[in-house]
Amino acid sequence: MNGVVQIVTTIDDKEKAERIGKELVRKRLASSVQIAGPIKSIYRWKGRIEEVEEWQCIIKSKKSHYKKVEEAIKLLHHYELPEIIAIDIDTALAGYIKWVEEETDPE
């Protein structure tokens, strides 16, 4: 068992996705951020079905940093309600876990 999570957010602007990624890594809140896209998102919002092109940020961090990562994303994100979800990493290559832990700030 370890304290590593993968946090996901999406945004409709590639440059803003890159800004989120760079800021999280610069602040050592994440060891890495992968940006994938464009992807097409279809979702229901305020009673309507929406379709938008987005970029997905896949963030590797410590579970203990989740709240700081969430706050940083909310400051940089322009959506009224951004997707910010964390997935616990139960099993992973030991060296990779060590790298994530070493590249993020200690508690």
Side-chain angles (χ1 to χ4, degrees), residues 40-56:
K40 184 171 189 170
S41 294
I42 303 169
Y43 57 92
R44 184 174 297 279
W45 180 248
K46 296 187 177 182
R48 295 181 47 179
I49 295 176
E50 303 285 342
E51 294 186 34
V52 66
E53 188 173 85
E54 292 183 303
W55 280 260
Q56 184 178 54

Side-chain angles (χ1 to χ4, degrees), residues 27-86:
K27 289 184 173 181
R28 296 183 65 102
L29 293 174
S31 60
S32 71
V33 178
Q34 296 168 312
I35 299 169
I39 60 172
K40 184 171 189 170
S41 294
I42 303 169
Y43 57 92
R44 184 174 297 279
W45 180 248
K46 296 187 177 182
R48 295 181 47 179
I49 295 176
E50 303 285 342
E51 294 186 34
V52 66
E53 188 173 85
E54 292 183 303
W55 280 260
Q56 184 178 54
C57 298
I58 305 163
I59 303 152
K60 282 47 155 237
S61 187
K62 294 179 189 173
K63 189 172 188 171
S64 59
H65 285 345
Y66 173 80
K67 279 308 237 183
K68 290 178 186 175
V69 171
E70 179 185 282
E71 289 305 315
I73 292 171
K74 287 175 15 183
L75 286 173
L76 297 168
H77 213 295
H78 64 271
Y79 287 5
E80 181 180 341
L81 181 63
E83 170 191 25
I84 306 173
I85 59 172

